[in-house]
């Protein structure tokens, strides 16, 4: 369990019924969510560069060939970026499970105090519902939304054009 210094803690108004040691896991989760909110987009930047490189080699600009080695390099780079995002998310989820497990154990230990038990339940519900930083689902990551929304819009436009050409 992390020992948080008083000036570094994130106060959520929960200190009176719970101690700082009780909230150490909560602070860990908040710290990870806050830090990965700024770091997580950096994982996706190599995909932007890779997409530009693929676009630059498009037949629209020139008659470039696609050697197997180049396709392999592009594939490895894309898998590396996706793998980094998956590893970050998996590590965050493991931390969340450990924090919830620890808080549930503390909740059971404090079963005699309804106020403390209720506060533990609120903290556990907040941790389970957290969707920021590395805890955000893949569909809510900024880069993925930026790619899915325009491409989905292009798909609808293509279908509409096809239907209008039929009539």
């Amino acid at each position: 369990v992390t020992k948080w210094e008083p000036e570094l803690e994130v106060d959520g108004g929960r200190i009176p019924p719970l101690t700082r040691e009780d909230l150490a896991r909560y602070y860990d989760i908040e710290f990870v969510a806050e830090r990965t909110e700024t770091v997580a987009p950096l994982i996706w930047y190599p995909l932007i560069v890779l997409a530009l490189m693929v676009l630059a080699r498009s037949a629209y600009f020139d008659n470039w060939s696609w050697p197997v080695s180049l396709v392999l390099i592009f594939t490895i780079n894309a898998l590396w970026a996706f793998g980094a995002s998956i590893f970050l998310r998996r590590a965050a989820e493991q931390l969340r499970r450990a924090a919830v497990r620890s808080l549930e154990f503390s909740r059971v230990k404090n079963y005699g105090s309804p106020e403390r038990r209720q506060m533990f339940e609120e903290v556990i519900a907040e941790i389970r519902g957290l969707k920021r930083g590395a805890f955000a689902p893949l569909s809510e990551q900024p880069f993925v939304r930026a790619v899915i929304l325009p491409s989905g819009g292009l798909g609808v436009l293509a279908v509409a054009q096809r239907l209008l050409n039929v009539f």
Side-chain angles (χ1 to χ4, degrees):
V1 176
T2 308
K3 290 188 92 173
W4 291 92
E5 296 295 324
E7 62 271 3
L8 298 178
E9 291 180 3
V10 181
D11 277 338
R14 295 186 173 86
I15 290 297
L18 300 179
T19 64
R20 284 180 164 69
E21 290 80 26
D22 291 336
L23 292 174
R25 291 294 189 172
Y26 172 75
Y27 294 141
D28 289 343
I29 296 293
E30 282 295 319
F31 177 76
V32 168
E34 190 176 303
R35 291 295 156 226
T36 58
E37 225 171 359
T38 56
V39 173
L42 296 176
I43 292 173
W44 297 106
Y45 289 152
L47 289 178
I48 294 171
V49 173
L50 190 62
L52 289 174
M53 289 170 47
V54 168
L55 184 66
R57 294 197 59 90
S58 170
Y60 182 76
F61 297 111
D62 203 353
N63 192 14
W64 288 87
S65 64
W66 283 91
V68 175
S69 59
L70 185 63
V71 172
L72 182 66
I73 289 171
F74 283 179
T75 304
I76 289 172
N77 285 334
L79 289 176
W80 194 326
F82 279 119
S85 68
I86 289 168
F87 286 141
L88 177 64
R89 172 99 172 132
R90 189 175 67 177
E93 286 301 324
Q94 287 174 347
L95 179 66
R96 185 192 324 231
R97 279 193 301 274
V100 167
R101 195 175 323 120
S102 173
L103 289 169
E104 284 175 343
F105 180 72
S106 296
R107 180 184 63 186
V108 169
K109 248 183 7 181
N110 292 292
Y111 192 73
S113 172
E115 185 180 74
R116 287 176 57 85
R117 187 186 56 204
Q118 178 65 29
M119 193 57 70
F120 275 119
E121 289 173 4
E122 289 176 13
V123 170
I124 290 169
E126 186 175 334
I127 288 174
R128 284 185 175 148
L130 187 65
K131 295 193 184 310
R132 290 185 307 135
F135 300 105
L138 189 61
S139 62
E140 292 184 18
Q141 295 290 339
F143 177 77
V144 175
R145 279 190 168 192
V147 169
I148 289 175
L149 291 177
S151 64
L154 290 175
V156 170
L157 181 63
V159 169
Q161 285 179 342
R162 183 66 123 188
L163 289 175
L164 290 175
N165 285 340
V166 169
F167 296 114

